[in-house]
Amino acid sequence: MSHYDSLGLSQSASTEAIKRRYQRLILQLHPDKNSTLDPQSSNALQDSKRAAKLQLVLKAWEVLRDQDSRTQYDATLAATGTLGGTGPKEVVNGEVDLDDMAYNADSGTFQSSCRCSGSYVVSEQDLEDGVEVVSCTTCSLRIRVLYSVVDE
Ligand SMILES: [Zn+2]
């Protein structure tokens, strides 16, 4: 699992996109914020999963925030063959069509339920940034959001 996977971004994501994504994930994964969002699911197991995920996000941000260390990291990924069709980048647990997700006009987000009773949330901004893989807010499952991209 690469640092891009931790953030649910593709390797071509802009620094600005990475920053926004990081900030959003930090808010999502922060224990205090989350326990009020979904009090029923805040048991010890999920708390520890969330903490582990938070660590991954923090680590990813540390590497990708800086252009130099990001370039270096990209080179490492290329060298180890992590990218491409068979890499961890492709490991998702399902696919959902954007049309099948519930749209929330207030927040500009699309939402889909996870089997764990958590949810997948992707914003219009994420989609513009090229986000395809969305992690569940509660468990470690990931889905690929299918939508047509208007290319340049
Ligand atoms: Zn889940």
Side-chain angles (χ1 to χ4, degrees), residues 1-18:
M1 170 146 167
S2 77
H3 290 322
Y4 294 101
D5 294 323
S6 301
L7 298 176
L9 288 169
S10 70
Q11 203 187 350
S12 58
S14 68
T15 307
E16 192 52 38
I18 290 172

Side-chain angles (χ1 to χ4, degrees), residues 73-117:
Y73 179 66
D74 286 350
T76 311
L77 282 185
T80 55
T82 311
L83 294 171
T86 56
K89 189 175 183 291
E90 299 301 316
V91 177
V92 291
N93 303 95
E95 293 182 336
V96 64
D97 197 292
L98 188 62
D99 293 339
D100 294 333
M101 296 179 80
Y103 180 65
N104 183 326
D106 290 337
S107 55
T109 56
F110 296 88
Q111 186 168 346
S112 178
S113 298
C114 177
R115 67 178 86 139
C116 77
S117 84

Side-chain angles (χ1 to χ4, degrees), residues 1-54:
M1 170 146 167
S2 77
H3 290 322
Y4 294 101
D5 294 323
S6 301
L7 298 176
L9 288 169
S10 70
Q11 203 187 350
S12 58
S14 68
T15 307
E16 192 52 38
I18 290 172
K19 187 177 176 184
R20 272 198 301 267
R21 189 71 186 162
Y22 163 75
Q23 288 168 339
R24 166 110 30 87
L25 285 169
I26 290 301
L27 285 177
Q28 275 179 8
L29 297 170
H30 195 280
D32 297 339
K33 305 260 182 194
N34 235 298
S35 55
T36 54
L37 273 181
D38 193 0
Q40 285 186 326
S41 73
S42 58
N43 59 47
L45 179 65
Q46 278 172 345
D47 279 351
S48 71
K49 274 190 188 170
R50 196 178 292 144
K53 207 163 154 182
L54 183 61

Side-chain angles (χ1 to χ4, degrees), residues 113-120 136-141:
S113 298
C114 177
R115 67 178 86 139
C116 77
S117 84
S119 56
Y120 302 101
C136 175
T137 51
T138 310
C139 73
S140 60
L141 291 179

